[in-house]
Amino acid sequence: MSERRARRLALAAWVVVIASFCLFASRFATRLTNTFFGDVEFTGWSNPLAHRLLAGDRPWVDFFLPIPPGSFVVLAWVERVVGRRLLLNELGLNIACHLVMGLLAYAGTVRLTTRTNALLVAVSTLAVVVQLNKEIAYDHTAQVVAWASLVVGVHGLRSTAPRAAPRLWFAAGALAGFTHFFKQSTGLGVVLGWGVGLVVLAVLARLRGERLERRPAIAWAAGLAVGLAATLAGVAALGGSIPAFLQAVYRDGPALKGGTLHLARVMLNYVVGLPSFPGSFVIVALLAWVGVRLWRHQGLEVGAEPERDEPLGVRAAAGAAALAVVGFGGAYLALGSGAEQLPRVALAWSDALKLSPSLGLPFATLFALVHLGGAAARGRSTAAAADLAVGRARAGDTFVVLYVAALVCSLLHNTSAPEFRAFYDNNPIVFVALAFLFVALDRARLGSVKWVAAALCVAGLACNKLDRAMAATYPLGAEGYWAHLQVGPRARGLWEAAAVVRRTLPPTETALVLPDDLALAPLLERPRPPLRGAVVFVDQYPEHVLAHDLELLRREPPGAIVLDPAERVIWMQLYRTWAQSSPAERLNLVVLDELLSRYRKVDSRPTRFLVIPTTLEVWVRADLLPPAASR
């Protein structure tokens, strides 16, 4: 009866959490905070490629890029349902992915600790993942599938049903393999993460002197094969070339980001050279204090964690729901208040709260090492002591395997970034670290501090992204690619420049944005030149399409070229993050140094690249302008 009551209370809390989140999202999703890659992050790079699929273009035959097609397929379905190509389609899908991540965080954590902790992990996770500035569906959809693989694997590890466990392991492997249909680095991360996790399971069995159980690994490997086969079948179903897909995604992709050796050095720097959590003196002292209390009270062996008797009560369920109401409801009210910014004094502190989950990393590492050491000690202990310990081994094993798999997946998800971004992106380590943090505080008998930690995660909603959303107050109406969105001052400049292109250029003429940005190009409402490179950007444009595209541009120059930023030194500095000389840069320079002499500048307006003042320019081919305008 108490378990049934706990489930009802959890369901009631979830109804409130989902309602609060959806209310907040109804305003937040329509505020365009990134209008161009020169803002904080990228936005909307999957949607235009989904539109190309609907138009009948075949990936890796008609166009090439090093991104798998999963998000394009999902957004093509969304566009078909909505009936229009809108940037809001992708923004809405991203919000839906955030909600699913919160649900998955609960589903994965509830098998390892109390329902109270699972609810707090879920609410905190929702508040953290929605802050991600990078609003591109191929990241979000890949993460959802990777998170699902880890959560299903947790249920497989905790299952005692002889038939259910192999099926769950198979599903975990299939989801890991199918992640490659959405993003290869995330797919490689979750596959490698599970591989390391299975090795850890084997090591634990060896340390205890137990017989190695091979069926989970066999079921997982079979599922992996099915997931990878489904990825290739999906490419073939889209009319794409499988060899060209493999070339573009697994060879061109790493090469454009500096090469495999460079990416390996980046990974090494993640774990050796860069800080993984904010380690100020006060934070280190607080973590040490919690560690001492852990040692004095319930110890560091997390295998006993699910046995802790703490049924979900009304106060705990209401408290978790109240956190969501206050956090998401407060953000909703802030967006509707008419204020155009958050208080400057508080913003720097609240923005740092996104990294709160990283404080669980030290405890996760400590618990994992203690569990591994304990397995070795039990292997040398008496039979009675070993029997006592084995009763707790499955839960402890699950904690350790989940931590290892989530960490590896999170490190590999965005290896193109030189900085440590495990907690910047929507990685599974977010909810796993939160789970370890709340478990540690519970076991240190600091239950009230746990609620403070969850409240701080939710308070992080008052972040830079919310601040920029509050500044997006200009409604764009119901027409165009940015329909139903509200934008800020910089986006109004882009909107007006796109209107210049639409007024000046005949509908049949092509238009090209350089450096390429897929959030702006559809706003021009003019066809893009039929380049083989789907995205002319430093880490997206492969070498083997350059000759064809240059020949095409020289033979059939586009009717208009939009330069943002027009100052080449700005975008060249950004390109240097990945390459000293890239095919995308060489194409840009040919256009600027060779083709632009055939054009006349019809519009120029001040804009910015991050905080640097720059210029946006619109150039139209001279033969398309009246004689007076072309002089």
Side-chain angles (χ1 to χ4, degrees):
M1 183 65 70
S2 61
E3 178 62 19
R4 182 180 299 176
R5 181 172 180 269
R7 289 182 178 179
R8 289 176 177 172
L9 286 172
L11 178 60
W14 263 113
V15 169
V16 176
V17 171
I18 292 173
S20 302
F21 179 79
C22 291
L23 181 67
F24 157 72
S26 67
R27 279 183 177 166
F28 192 59
T30 60
R31 304 292 185 100
L32 187 57
T33 57
N34 290 301
T35 55
F36 200 68
F37 75 85
D39 285 331
V40 176
E41 268 288 0
F42 300 82
T43 289
W45 279 33
S46 291
N47 208 39
L49 298 167
H51 185 73
R52 294 192 67 167
L53 295 185
L54 287 177
D57 288 354
R58 299 163 297 171
W60 305 286
V61 175
D62 300 316
F63 64 91
F64 295 80
L65 78 167
I67 301 174
S71 63
F72 314 153
V73 173
V74 175
L75 281 167
W77 177 81
V78 173
E79 182 177 334
R80 191 183 295 274
V81 170
V82 172
R84 293 179 62 186
R85 177 175 64 157
L86 297 173
L87 179 56
L88 188 57
N89 294 347
E90 186 160 356
L91 299 177
L93 176 62
N94 294 341
I95 287 289
C97 288
H98 297 154
L99 181 57
V100 173
M101 289 174 190
L103 293 165
L104 288 171
Y106 178 83
T109 309
V110 76
R111 297 302 304 270
L112 299 174
T113 183
T114 64
R115 287 190 186 275
T116 300
N117 281 345
L119 275 174
L120 290 180
V121 167
V123 173
S124 301
T125 297
L126 266 177
V128 170
V129 299
V130 80
Q131 298 175 45
L132 177 62
N133 292 306
K134 191 177 182 184
E135 297 172 314
I136 299 183
Y138 61 71
D139 278 309
H140 291 71
T141 51
Q143 290 285 18
V144 165
V145 182
W147 284 43
S149 174
L150 294 174
V151 170
V152 170
V154 165
H155 285 254
L157 282 163
R158 296 293 291 142
S159 176
T160 56
R163 292 186 178 181
R167 293 172 183 171
L168 290 167
W169 274 105
F170 179 88
L175 287 166
F178 196 56
T179 306
H180 289 253
F181 192 58
F182 295 88
K183 189 173 183 181
Q184 69 273 35
S185 59
T186 315
L188 290 169
V190 71
V191 169
L192 183 59
W194 272 125
V196 175
L198 290 169
V199 171
V200 169
L201 280 179
V203 169
L204 287 167
R206 179 67 177 255
L207 290 174
R208 298 187 188 111
E210 299 171 353
R211 183 175 65 86
L212 180 62
E213 179 59 65
R214 293 184 173 86
R215 285 179 296 178
I218 293 172
W220 179 86
L224 174 64
V226 170
L228 293 174
T231 296
L232 297 179
V235 172
L238 294 171
S241 164
I242 291 178
F245 163 77
L246 296 174
Q247 164 76 27
V249 170
Y250 296 102
R251 295 190 63 183
D252 293 344
L256 290 168
K257 298 178 190 299
T260 303
L261 183 60
H262 168 74
L263 296 179
R265 288 196 297 265
V266 169
M267 281 286 294
L268 181 64
N269 196 37
Y270 286 165
V271 297
V272 174
L274 296 176
S276 56
F277 69 95
S280 70
F281 175 79
V282 172
I283 288 176
V284 171
L286 288 172
L287 294 176
W289 173 61
V290 174
V292 170
R293 290 183 62 94
L294 271 170
W295 188 268
R296 289 174 53 192
H297 293 292
Q298 290 187 307
L300 299 171
E301 175 53 72
V302 290
E305 174 60 22
E307 300 167 10
R308 214 159 36 81
D309 185 17
E310 186 188 307
L312 179 66
V314 174
R315 290 181 61 184
L323 279 177
V325 170
V326 172
F328 294 116
Y332 174 83
L333 293 175
L335 290 170
S337 67
E340 295 189 5
Q341 64 179 25
L342 292 168
R344 300 293 98 182
V345 175
L347 184 59
W349 290 95
S350 60
D351 209 41
L353 293 176
K354 178 177 171 59
L355 297 177
S356 297
S358 66
L359 299 181
L361 269 185
F363 299 114
T365 305
L366 185 60
F367 286 143
L369 292 174
V370 168
H371 187 74
L372 288 166
R378 284 193 290 272
R380 297 190 295 269
S381 63
T382 63
D387 289 341
L388 178 65
V390 167
R392 302 188 311 205
R394 183 179 293 273
D397 291 359
T398 305
F399 265 109
V400 174
V401 171
L402 176 61
Y403 170 52
V404 169
L407 181 61
V408 172
C409 178
S410 301
L411 292 176
L412 277 168
H413 166 69
N414 199 0
T415 47
S416 61
E419 66 273 11
F420 182 83
R421 291 174 55 136
F423 293 95
Y424 175 87
D425 294 317
N426 291 344
N427 286 306
I429 195 62
V430 170
F431 88 86
V432 174
L434 283 169
F436 276 104
L437 177 61
F438 294 152
V439 165
L441 293 172
D442 267 351
R443 297 178 72 80
R445 298 184 183 177
L446 294 169
S448 58
V449 178
K450 172 183 69 179
W451 285 88
V452 173
L456 288 174
C457 288
V458 175
L461 283 167
C463 60
N464 180 267
K465 186 174 181 180
L466 180 66
D467 181 70
R468 289 181 290 117
M470 291 171 65
T473 58
Y474 182 75
L476 295 180
E479 300 300 323
Y481 183 62
W482 287 2
H484 308 298
L485 296 178
Q486 292 178 246
V487 300
R490 183 175 191 273
R492 288 185 64 178
L494 294 175
W495 176 266
E496 292 163 0
V500 170
V501 174
R502 294 194 298 270
R503 288 196 305 268
T504 309
L505 201 64
T508 55
E509 288 290 338
T510 61
L512 181 64
V513 176
L514 291 177
D516 211 347
D517 191 290
L518 301 190
L520 173 59
L523 196 61
L524 307 180
E525 297 181 7
R526 295 297 182 266
R528 183 176 185 267
L531 305 178
R532 285 187 177 174
V535 186
V536 185
F537 197 76
V538 56
D539 66 339
Q540 302 294 321
Y541 188 76
E543 177 76 41
H544 63 84
V545 301
L546 178 61
H548 169 274
D549 289 351
L550 287 178
E551 192 276 332
L552 174 72
L553 290 173
R554 288 176 174 126
R555 186 180 71 251
E556 302 175 17
I561 298 173
V562 178
L563 303 177
D564 186 16
E567 296 81 1
R568 68 178 69 189
V569 66
I570 302 296
W571 57 261
M572 288 176 75
Q573 287 176 352
L574 176 68
Y575 278 23
R576 293 298 180 269
T577 304
W578 293 277
Q580 291 301 309
S581 177
S582 65
E585 178 177 325
R586 297 202 295 276
L587 184 142
N588 289 351
L589 293 177
V590 167
V591 171
L592 294 175
D593 297 335
E594 181 181 332
L595 299 185
L596 208 59
S597 60
R598 309 183 195 180
Y599 293 75
R600 295 294 178 266
K601 183 164 54 178
V602 299
D603 189 67
S604 177
R605 60 189 66 232
T607 181
R608 59 176 173 78
F609 187 91
L610 295 177
V611 297
I612 304 171
T614 57
T615 309
L616 182 152
E617 296 178 352
V618 177
W619 295 73
V620 174
R621 210 172 64 232
D623 63 285
L624 297 174
L625 295 171
S630 63
R631 285 199 210 92

